[in-house]
Amino acid sequence: MKRLYYLDNLKVCLTILVIMHHAGQAYGNGGGWAYTPSNPAEFMPWIWHFFSTNAAFFMGLYFFISGFFVPRSFDKQGTKLFIQKKLLRLGVPLLFMGAIISVLSGKIEIGHMWFVESLLVFCLIYALIRHSMFNQHSLSQSRERNVQCSKPTIIGLLTVALLMGIGSHFIRQVSPQDNWIWPFGIIPLPMEPAHYLQYVMMFVLGILAYRFQWLDKMSNVTGLTALLIGIALAVGNYLRDGGAWNAFVWQWFGIYESLMCIFISFGLIWFFRQFVSATSRFWQWCAAQSYGAYVFHLLLMIMLQNVVDGIWMGAFGKFIFIGVVTTILSFPLTWMVKMIPGVKRVL
């Protein structure tokens, strides 16, 4: 399998978007955050549109891309080595960062590493399912028969989005958005039920996309249409500001958000495949550091926010400054940490 540089480039951009999303949380109503500005004027009431649109797709797309590479890894490594490598690459950063965040917060907490923990759980479940499939040859023959006739279509994407949306809608009747829980009150796997169906489905879709070669076979018409629909839905979400439209979208947001997730995600994948597939040493370097940048950025950001707390830049100025500087620091920090012997095997 050739290197899909457009997925590397997309992951880099998603990592930057995550950092910018977190940079805004202290200056808007974006959920709990470890830092609060001492100046109450540093607040942006409009930024919830940014949070809402990002949350609709960016972590789901992360899970999709991660799921896409899982079958190939398992096929090459087998059950034992696959599990060992996932425990090393996902488990070690989870324990390391979880310990630091827990010490700093004074309670058991893993912060943004919930994604890494969930991805580890998904990978282990996948490995157990694959290991239990005793008739692999028959399954492979069935897949080869189906792979030729399976490709993404707008109707197919719409169907998946509606299934995701209807499920999310009913989940939100019990557990609204931004309600984080520990399953059964004891399992240390913090999750947000309102979005968790999306994450599971996007991970599974990533696996299927690899098996059925959907990304290569997605037509330009399908990709462009998905992107335009996704942009229109995002614009509709930004235009919410009270009134009948806001009330309608809010009432059915589980469905609306799922439509954004599927169409923005597949639209972006198509766009990067067509227009951002080139690479360079710089892009390859950024791609190699993107995982570590995700892991380390939160501590850097909170430190920086406290350092510049007394400096007036305005809320928007602080948001941009914190996001850009944290991004610039996170990638080189990862590169330097990876110089420590053995760290490259993890990050």
Side-chain angles (χ1 to χ4, degrees):
M1 180 181 176
K2 65 181 181 180
R3 185 80 182 185
L4 300 180
Y5 290 113
Y6 70 90
L7 289 183
D8 284 342
N9 299 340
L10 180 54
K11 282 196 300 181
V12 172
C13 292
L14 283 175
T15 301
I16 295 173
L17 182 59
V18 168
I19 294 174
M20 295 304 297
H21 183 99
H22 287 160
Q25 284 191 249
Y27 310 104
N29 188 16
W33 192 247
Y35 160 81
T36 301
S38 60
N39 188 342
E42 293 180 344
F43 181 78
M44 296 178 290
W46 57 266
I47 202 172
W48 70 267
H49 296 92
F50 179 68
F51 297 146
S52 177
T53 304
N54 293 343
F57 78 94
F58 69 163
M59 298 312 298
L61 185 50
Y62 252 131
F63 279 110
F64 179 94
I65 295 173
S66 300
F68 182 84
F69 292 106
V70 162
R72 180 170 178 260
S73 297
F74 188 92
D75 292 344
K76 289 178 60 178
Q77 299 167 0
T79 305
K80 183 177 179 180
L81 185 58
F82 176 84
I83 291 177
Q84 288 176 346
K85 288 197 170 184
K86 292 304 177 187
L87 289 174
L88 181 66
R89 186 162 172 78
L90 299 175
V92 172
L94 172 64
L95 292 175
F96 177 76
M97 288 300 298
I100 293 177
I101 295 172
S102 295
V103 169
L104 293 176
S105 64
K107 61 180 180 179
I108 299 178
E109 180 66 70
I110 61 173
H112 65 303
M113 296 300 287
W114 68 265
F115 165 74
V116 175
E117 184 175 25
S118 292
L119 182 58
L120 175 59
V121 171
F122 293 174
C123 289
L124 294 179
I125 292 174
Y126 174 85
L128 292 174
I129 293 174
R130 283 290 305 275
H131 186 73
S132 65
M133 289 180 175
F134 55 88
N135 195 357
Q136 292 285 351
H137 181 66
S138 175
L139 289 169
S140 178
Q141 287 183 325
S142 175
R143 179 174 62 83
E144 291 298 329
R145 286 195 298 268
N146 293 327
V147 72
Q148 300 301 325
C149 60
S150 176
K151 64 179 181 179
T153 64
I154 292 299
I155 297 299
L157 296 179
L158 178 61
T159 301
V160 172
L162 290 176
L163 288 173
M164 180 189 295
I166 293 170
S168 297
H169 175 76
F170 285 109
I171 290 173
R172 289 164 191 241
Q173 306 310 303
V174 179
S175 180
Q177 190 168 323
D178 294 326
N179 177 43
W180 287 78
I181 65 170
W182 282 25
F184 310 109
I186 55 174
I187 301 176
L189 176 60
M191 63 171 63
E192 183 193 17
H195 279 120
Y196 221 71
L197 176 62
Q198 176 196 122
Y199 302 151
V200 173
M201 290 185 65
M202 290 297 283
F203 182 78
V204 173
L205 283 173
I207 294 171
L208 296 176
Y210 172 81
R211 287 301 185 196
F212 294 103
Q213 302 169 18
W214 284 346
L215 303 192
D216 289 335
K217 297 188 325 188
M218 180 166 51
S219 69
N220 290 336
V221 172
T222 298
L224 177 59
T225 304
L227 182 62
L228 293 176
I229 293 173
I231 291 173
L233 290 166
V235 170
N237 196 44
Y238 270 92
L239 292 176
R240 292 168 55 202
D241 191 20
W245 173 244
N246 180 65
F248 173 80
V249 173
W250 180 249
Q251 181 180 0
W252 304 103
F253 195 65
I255 297 174
Y256 192 95
E257 185 182 61
S258 297
L259 290 169
M260 279 200 289
C261 174
I262 293 297
F263 286 110
I264 292 177
S265 294
F266 277 84
L268 284 176
I269 289 170
W270 170 81
F271 180 84
F272 273 72
R273 189 194 73 183
Q274 294 300 117
F275 303 106
V276 200
S277 59
T279 189
S280 65
R281 287 187 177 181
F282 175 74
W283 274 105
Q284 291 176 26
W285 181 86
C286 288
Q289 321 310 324
S290 60
Y291 176 46
Y294 178 90
V295 171
F296 294 130
H297 81 272
L298 183 130
L299 295 181
L300 284 173
M301 180 175 293
I302 295 174
M303 289 172 57
L304 183 61
Q305 285 173 329
N306 281 279
V307 168
V308 301
D309 180 75
I311 302 174
W312 172 251
M313 303 180 193
F316 183 73
K318 278 280 183 76
F319 162 54
I320 297 298
F321 176 80
I322 295 294
V324 171
V325 174
T326 302
T327 299
I328 292 173
L329 294 178
S330 297
F331 285 80
L333 174 63
T334 300
W335 176 74
M336 289 187 290
V337 170
K338 288 168 70 173
M339 290 183 178
I340 301 173
V343 174
K344 275 190 176 181
R345 296 178 60 195
V346 178
L347 297 175

